[in-house]
Amino acid sequence: MLERWTRAVVRNRFAIIAVWLALVILGLFAVSNLNDHLTTSLTVPGSESAKADEILVDHFKENTEGTFTVLLKFKNASAEEIAGFKAKIATAASTVPTAKITQERVLGGVLYANIGTSFKLTDAAAYTEKFREALINEGLEGALVTGPPAIYRDVTPVLASDLQRGQILAVLLALLLLILLLGTSWAVMVPFLFATATISLALAVVYLLAQKILMVLYIPNIIELIGFGLAIDYSLLIVHRFRREIMNLDDIRVSDAIVKTMETAGRTVILSGSIVSIGLATLLLVPVPFVRSLGAAGLVVPVVSVIAALTLQPALLSFLGRRGVTPKRFPGLMARKNMMTGMFAKIAHFVIRRPISVLLFSLAMLAIATSSVIWLQITPSSLTAIPAERESARALSIVTERVGPGIITPNEIVIDLGEPNQATTPLVRQARTNLAEEILKNPEVFVVATGEKAPYIDGTGRYLRIFVIGHHDLGAQASQKLVHELRDKYIPNAGFPENTQVYLGGAPAQGVDLLESILKSFPWIVLLALAIAYIVLLRAFRSLILPLKAILLDLVSIAAAYGSLVLVFRFGVGSSILGTYQLDQIEAWVLIFLFAVLFGLSMDYEVFIVSRMREARNRGATNTEAIIEGLTHTGGVVTAAAIILVGALGGLVIGHFAGLQQLGVGLAFGILIDATIIRGLLLPSAMVLLGRWNWWLPNSVAKLVKTKASPLEEREARL
């Protein structure tokens, strides 16, 4: 089937390339318009915090994502002067359509005002600069504007700049490595054309998805940099195999060489893409739109890459032909005809001679790399780790220094009394006062704000709310503990009337709901991903043992990646060199997305190497011969692909956002460890020690998965 498909692609190569060119143009349009459809929402549908937010939107007309916050420092201002400041802020706010003052308070020498609008995040962000200019015109040069719209407006160009720098770094590194590997030939350009096409189509698909579902702000950076590395991986594997086929057989036709390439390397790419897709598809099971959007967007990348590998790649190779892949002047490291004399052949022979020593050494190194996981702490998000020079970040810095980080993200107790005009009754007034007084005794609480007028009571008198401001930011352990105490201790004992419904909302509560939802889903995601991957690899490798070994090695890679995050971000190891933040906690979405991506990418390298071993085994090679051939012919490709991918991830590491830095560092360390210690040393040493058990598959299972035994396996079975 794959042979017929490939020949059809080669025959229709002009039409296929024309279609891909149109898709690239569509992708460019998507890139220019995608940011208008991205958000930063961490809402967990159906959670207590989500129900509180619904009441705030419907009855208090509070639109969090469309709300600006103005911070103004002052010294020894009189009440009259503060009233003047408030009037000027209100005048400036009138320049923004639908804007109205929703909250005003003075704390620690800072006037803090919220200005709500009816706009969604991206529409409100468009008025940020106009609002800032209006404040200056009112004589409030020291006023700083922050809040979701202003933060979005400030960080979007920084994300774009980070992405551009990452692209330049990735392209330059990839170009140098591809020339080093493939030599000076037109074949070097194929992976770049492949990557351009896949990224463009992936962004076009994400743009369409963003019309219907929530998509987070980080997605373009993640897709373009991870997509670039993955596309280079797949294309390099196919180009390398095609060149080996056409250079080893002088009389082979180009079309036949392409068919042979796609039946081997192409099939491997399909299998690899399937495994990557499995890992990312499991994120769709997390009941959090934020995480689901990462899974949906990430899933698009391997799917599109496989489609390109089956269509665009054969078409490009048919145009290049023999002359296009033949290097001139500099042949490249992969031009060696006898691969058995190369570095990876020597590594394979070394491992085969000393499998136990190599295995123990590898396990010791991995134990060191993963040991710091025991200090891992997670947070739903981090407001402090955004570019410090931006006005919205400076505003946050001022208020946290003067008052504390909790002022930025207060807890909001939302109370539904069931009937109108109940908020000012004696019973409710007493319950509300008692609750506020009890909460204020908690050492984590800085201020409790309540009252009998707006913004504490809605227009109907049915709903009221209490602000609880802590000393720490939303992700801190103390803030999370306070959320649990409010829900489990203070609110149940408040003494409100019987039919009253009380919900805890606000960013800290939303963060706790996010963490609980992710942690509840994560074990099932892991189990499902491992189970599906095992079944797919069982059929591909035709072995009960090899898929299990692949999964165990994959989990070790992920544990090492988690350990690297703790070392770099919590303990600051290499932080000054990498230019990363130093934080006590890792963002939760990073850990779950890191698992999904690294699970797939690590399996990529496993599939690349073991598929080549399986080919040798099918031809009748012994276990030792298969190990040597697999490592010799794919070790260089895997190492090069890993280095290129790490270079692409450098664009995330050198950026300004803590979450993306954490994702970049985790993936980079995980991939480097996987491509070197795990696949270069631990994998072959384990296979040497397992011997013929590597390829063990009972006949009953073989019939179930419908696979055929190799000639050698048939002989061994008869013996």
Side-chain angles (χ1 to χ4, degrees), residues 67-71 112 128-129 132 143-158 383-400 408 657:
T67 298
F68 294 96
T69 299
V70 177
L71 299 172
Y112 180 95
T128 301
E129 297 307 321
R132 286 170 173 165
L144 299 176
V145 180
T146 186
I151 292 173
Y152 179 90
R153 172 65 181 80
D154 287 346
V155 304
T156 299
V158 179
L383 288 176
T384 57
I386 60 176
E389 72 280 3
R390 299 288 154 170
E391 180 175 324
S392 53
R394 285 189 284 120
L396 297 179
S397 177
I398 287 172
V399 76
T400 55
I408 302 168
F657 296 87

Side-chain angles (χ1 to χ4, degrees), residues 143-417:
L144 299 176
V145 180
T146 186
I151 292 173
Y152 179 90
R153 172 65 181 80
D154 287 346
V155 304
T156 299
V158 179
L159 278 170
S161 175
D162 288 350
L163 178 57
Q164 187 177 40
R165 286 195 299 161
Q167 288 171 332
I168 293 171
L169 175 65
V171 169
L172 289 177
L173 180 61
L175 181 60
L176 290 173
L177 284 172
L178 289 173
I179 292 174
L180 183 65
L181 296 170
L182 300 175
T184 49
S185 70
W186 288 108
V188 169
M189 299 308 300
V190 173
F192 289 105
L193 295 173
F194 186 97
T196 301
T198 54
I199 292 171
S200 298
L201 180 55
L203 288 172
V205 173
V206 169
Y207 173 77
L208 296 176
L209 290 174
Q211 312 302 311
K212 298 294 183 182
I213 63 175
L214 176 147
M215 286 287 171
V216 296
L217 195 59
Y218 299 151
I219 278 175
N221 295 60
I222 292 172
I223 284 184
E224 293 199 29
L225 294 176
I226 294 180
F228 179 82
L230 192 64
I232 295 286
D233 275 12
Y234 290 169
S235 184
L236 176 60
L237 179 68
I238 294 174
V239 168
H240 170 61
R241 190 60 181 261
F242 172 71
R243 198 166 76 162
R244 300 299 303 179
E245 295 289 350
I246 208 161
M247 289 176 68
N248 289 343
L249 297 171
D250 294 334
D251 59 341
I252 191 172
R253 294 192 307 171
V254 170
S255 59
D256 292 336
I258 294 173
V259 168
K260 289 191 70 174
T261 298
M262 296 307 295
E263 287 181 333
T264 51
R267 198 179 300 277
T268 299
V269 166
I270 294 172
L271 177 59
S272 298
S274 301
I275 299 295
V276 177
S277 299
I278 289 168
L280 289 163
T282 56
L283 295 184
L284 299 175
L285 302 177
V286 180
V288 180
F290 180 93
V291 177
R292 281 180 175 172
S293 73
L294 291 170
L299 177 60
V300 170
V301 175
V303 171
V304 168
S305 295
V306 170
I307 293 171
L310 293 175
T311 55
L312 181 62
Q313 184 86 10
L316 292 174
L317 292 178
S318 70
F319 275 109
L320 284 179
R322 189 185 303 275
R323 292 181 62 184
V325 298
T326 303
K328 298 176 182 178
R329 296 183 182 176
F330 177 61
L333 300 179
M334 288 185 173
R336 184 193 299 269
K337 284 203 170 184
N338 184 7
M339 299 292 290
M340 294 301 173
T341 60
M343 180 182 71
F344 286 95
K346 293 176 182 177
I347 292 174
H349 285 290
F350 174 80
V351 172
I352 288 170
R353 288 195 303 271
R354 299 176 177 83
I356 296 177
S357 299
V358 171
L359 181 73
L360 293 176
F361 170 79
S362 302
L363 291 175
M365 294 294 291
L366 292 169
I368 294 171
T370 58
S371 60
S372 56
V373 170
I374 60 176
W375 288 284
L376 177 66
Q377 292 183 5
I378 59 176
T379 178
S381 184
S382 176
L383 288 176
T384 57
I386 60 176
E389 72 280 3
R390 299 288 154 170
E391 180 175 324
S392 53
R394 285 189 284 120
L396 297 179
S397 177
I398 287 172
V399 76
T400 55
E401 288 172 4
R402 290 291 188 94
V403 182
I407 188 67
I408 302 168
T409 53
N411 292 282
E412 296 188 50
I413 301 174
V414 180
I415 303 162
D416 177 5
L417 298 167

Side-chain angles (χ1 to χ4, degrees), residues 508-703:
Q510 191 179 67
V512 167
D513 290 339
L514 176 71
L515 289 180
E516 289 181 350
S517 181
I518 288 177
L519 293 176
K520 194 178 294 183
S521 308
F522 193 48
W524 297 106
I525 287 172
V526 172
L527 289 174
L528 181 62
L530 298 184
I532 298 175
Y534 183 86
I535 294 170
V536 172
L537 293 177
L538 172 64
R539 194 177 190 286
F541 293 162
R542 194 179 146 65
S543 165
L544 282 178
I545 304 299
L546 289 180
L548 180 60
K549 176 191 60 60
I551 287 171
L552 292 175
L553 295 183
D554 222 16
L555 293 176
V556 172
S557 292
I558 295 167
Y562 286 176
S564 71
L565 290 178
V566 177
L567 286 175
V568 173
F569 290 94
R570 182 164 189 180
F571 298 125
V573 178
S575 180
S576 59
I577 298 172
L578 296 172
T580 55
Y581 293 97
Q582 193 164 347
L583 305 164
D584 289 337
Q585 298 167 303
I586 306 300
E587 294 189 27
W589 74 266
V590 171
L591 297 178
I592 192 167
F593 190 66
L594 180 61
F595 168 81
V597 176
L598 197 56
F599 174 83
L601 293 176
S602 298
M603 280 295 184
D604 255 5
Y605 303 144
E606 176 83 13
V607 169
F608 286 0
I609 295 171
V610 178
S611 291
R612 192 61 184 254
M613 294 178 183
R614 180 75 258 183
E615 285 182 43
R617 187 71 176 171
N618 288 342
R619 293 196 307 270
T622 64
N623 182 64
T624 300
E625 291 168 345
I627 293 170
I628 293 172
E629 180 172 332
L631 197 60
T632 298
H633 285 276
T634 59
V637 176
V638 166
T639 303
I643 294 172
I644 291 171
L645 186 51
V646 168
L649 294 168
L652 300 177
V653 178
I654 64 176
H656 292 80
F657 296 87
L660 292 180
Q661 284 187 348
Q662 290 165 2
L663 179 63
V665 168
L667 285 174
F669 274 89
I671 289 166
L672 282 177
I673 290 171
D674 191 272
T676 53
I677 298 175
I678 292 180
R679 308 302 161 188
L681 299 175
L682 188 57
L683 166 65
S685 62
M687 291 187 70
V688 171
L689 294 173
L690 286 170
R692 60 185 293 181
W693 287 103
N694 286 308
W695 315 102
W696 178 62
L697 185 69
N699 288 333
S700 57
V701 179
K703 290 177 182 177

